[in-house]
Amino acid sequence: MRNIKRITEVMKIWNCKRALGLLKQIYRENLFSAVLSLTVIVLLAVVGVMPSFLIGKIIDMAAAGRIDGLFMLNVGLILALGGGKILEITQEYITAESSISVANSLTDRIMERLMHAETAWLSGQKRGEILQAVSDDVETVKRISVSTLPQFLYMLLVAVTSTVTIARVYYPVLLVVAIVYPLYLLPLGKNSRMQENAERSLRDVKAKSRGFIIETFENIKDIKIYGAEQASTEVFGGLQEQWSEDIKQKYVAVNMFKSVPRVLAALGPALVYIFAGIAVIHGNLSIGSVVTLAALLPKLSEPIRAYSGFYIDINVVEKIGEKFQQFLSAPREIQYDLPEREMAFDTVEFAMFL
C-alpha cells in the first residue's frame, strides 16, 4: 500500500512547479527551437514505426511469391530509414544550438545578479554552492531541457504510434500489453526514493568539496603555519568517501529498477508469441505481422523504464530552481549617486620625513 502511494506521488510531475516554471521559461526564451524540436520529434515518432511495419509487409509478400508492389515497399523502407536518420541529425543540431543558448542565458543571469549583489549577503554564501550553480547546475538544467525531456517525449509518442500500429496488425495483443506492462511500475516507488536521496546527497557533497578546495588553498598559509595539512587532507578524504558511497547507492537504485523490466522484457514477448503463434496456425495472422509485433513491443516499455530517471531529473531541476531563485533574488548593492563638486586647494605644502 505504501509503495502504491509512493508510485502515485511519483506520477504527479506537475507538483514540481518550480522546475516546470524554469523549463517553461527556457522554452519561451527559445520558442522557435522548441517548436522546431517538437515538430521533428513528432515526425520521428511517426517515421520510427514505419520500417517495422514495412518489413512485415515485405516478408509476407516475399513468402507469398508476390512481386507486384514489392519494389515500392522496398523504396518506402529505404525512404523511411533515410528520412529517420535525417530527422535524427536535425534533432541533434537543434539540441546543440539550444544547449548553447540555454547555458549562456542561465549563466549570464546568475553572474549578473551575483556581481551586483550586496557584499555582506555575498560573503555569507558558500562558495562551493555558487560554483556548483554556475557550472554543474547550469549544465544539468541544459541537459534536461534540451535532451532528457525531448527524448522522453519522443519515447511516449513512439509508444503511442507503436500501440496504434499493433492494434492495426493484431489488436488482441493489446490485452497482453495491458496486463504485463503496468507491472513495470512496481519498483518505481522504492527506486525513486533511493535515487532521490543519492542525487541530493551527491549534489551536497560536490558543493562541499568544491567549497573546501577553494577555502583550503585560499588559507593555505594559515594551514601550514598551524600544521593542519593532515587534518585538511582527512576532511577532503571523508568528502570523497561520501561521494563514492552516493555513487554506489545511485548505481544500485538504477540497476534495481532495471531488474524487473528485464524479466518483463522476456515475459511480455513470450506471451505475445503464444497468442500470435495460435493466430498464425489458424490463419488469422501472417509471419510478417509477427515480425512487426516483435519489433514494436519493446518500444511500449521504453517510456515506463525511462520514467524513473525522468522523474529524478525533474526533481533535480526543482532543487536547482530553488537555488537559482535564491541567487536571482539576491539583494542588490545600493549605489549612491554623489553630486559632483569642484575642489580647489590653496597654499598646500608637502613635508617629507626621512
Side-chain angles (χ1 to χ4, degrees):
M1 188 68 183
R2 185 182 299 175
N3 194 44
I4 294 176
K5 183 179 179 181
R6 175 61 183 168
I7 292 173
T8 304
E9 293 175 357
V10 172
M11 298 301 287
K12 295 179 180 179
I13 289 292
W14 56 85
N15 286 341
C16 300
K17 296 180 180 179
R18 194 181 299 275
L20 296 178
L22 179 58
L23 293 173
K24 183 179 178 181
Q25 184 176 0
I26 289 172
Y27 291 134
R28 189 186 296 121
E29 293 176 357
N30 301 271
L31 185 59
F32 177 76
S33 295
V35 172
L36 185 58
S37 179
L38 178 61
T39 304
V40 173
I41 287 172
V42 172
L43 291 174
L44 268 172
V46 175
V47 173
V49 300
M50 289 179 63
S52 302
F53 183 77
L54 292 172
I55 288 173
K57 291 294 184 183
I58 290 171
I59 291 174
D60 285 341
M61 292 190 70
R66 293 173 52 191
I67 301 178
D68 56 304
L70 190 61
F71 175 76
M72 292 305 299
L73 283 175
N74 278 280
V75 171
L77 177 61
I78 293 172
L79 291 176
L81 292 172
K85 291 301 179 182
I86 292 173
L87 289 172
E88 287 178 7
I89 294 172
T90 303
Q91 177 64 25
E92 290 173 0
Y93 177 79
I94 296 171
T95 299
E97 287 291 322
S98 300
S99 296
I100 297 171
S101 178
V102 169
N104 289 344
S105 175
L106 286 174
T107 305
D108 289 347
R109 285 165 54 198
I110 294 172
M111 288 300 296
E112 189 276 336
R113 192 59 183 245
L114 290 176
M115 288 295 100
H116 294 87
E118 261 184 16
T119 304
W121 179 90
L122 199 58
S123 300
Q125 302 303 307
K126 296 179 179 178
R127 298 179 185 180
E129 290 188 356
I130 294 176
L131 182 58
Q132 178 82 12
V134 297
S135 56
D136 281 7
D137 287 352
V138 168
E139 185 66 27
T140 298
V141 173
K142 180 189 73 173
R143 173 181 58 81
I144 293 171
S145 62
V146 303
S147 179
T148 304
L149 186 55
Q151 183 65 23
F152 184 72
L153 177 60
Y154 168 70
M155 289 181 183
L156 283 176
L157 292 176
V158 168
V160 171
T161 54
S162 297
T163 302
V164 172
T165 306
I166 289 172
R168 288 188 59 189
V169 173
Y170 191 61
Y171 68 87
V173 171
L174 295 181
L175 178 62
V176 177
V177 172
I179 294 173
V180 174
Y181 284 92
L183 298 176
Y184 277 71
L185 297 175
L186 288 179
L188 183 61
K190 184 176 181 180
N191 172 265
S192 60
R193 177 69 70 188
M194 289 178 65
Q195 286 198 58
E196 277 184 76
N197 293 336
E199 286 285 355
R200 187 184 304 111
S201 184
L202 268 174
R203 187 178 181 280
D204 291 343
V205 169
K206 282 183 180 180
K208 289 177 181 177
S209 296
R210 287 175 167 175
F212 182 80
I213 292 172
I214 294 172
E215 292 166 7
T216 295
F217 286 98
E218 281 184 347
N219 301 289
I220 192 65
K221 290 183 179 180
D222 294 335
I223 291 174
K224 288 181 178 296
I225 289 172
Y226 291 103
E229 295 95 334
Q230 184 61 33
S232 297
T233 302
E234 289 176 359
V235 171
F236 185 72
L239 291 172
Q240 293 305 296
E241 288 179 7
Q242 182 62 49
W243 183 85
S244 300
E245 183 64 26
D246 293 335
I247 286 289
K248 184 173 70 175
Q249 290 297 322
K250 181 179 178 181
Y251 178 81
V252 170
V254 171
N255 281 275
M256 183 187 73
F257 185 70
K258 289 179 180 178
S259 60
V260 172
R262 284 169 183 164
V263 175
L264 295 176
L267 178 61
L271 293 175
V272 169
Y273 291 148
I274 293 174
F275 277 88
I278 295 172
V280 170
I281 292 172
H282 288 83
N284 296 325
L285 195 65
S286 65
I287 298 297
S289 297
V290 176
V291 172
T292 299
L293 292 175
L296 294 179
L297 278 173
K299 298 182 184 298
L300 302 184
S301 63
E302 286 181 357
I304 303 177
R305 285 181 290 177
Y307 186 82
S308 177
F310 175 69
Y311 169 77
I312 300 303
D313 282 341
I314 293 297
N315 271 270
V316 168
V317 176
E318 182 80 1
K319 301 301 180 184
I320 291 174
E322 292 177 9
K323 184 58 66 176
F324 282 178
Q325 185 61 36
Q326 178 185 344
F327 290 151
L328 292 173
S329 60
R332 287 184 176 271
E333 194 80 74
I334 299 175
Q335 301 290 331
Y336 295 99
D337 294 327
L338 299 176
E340 294 184 3
R341 292 286 188 271
E342 291 185 2
M343 301 180 67
F345 297 92
D346 294 328
T347 318
V348 178
E349 296 182 357
F350 294 93
M352 297 182 64
F353 298 92
L354 300 177

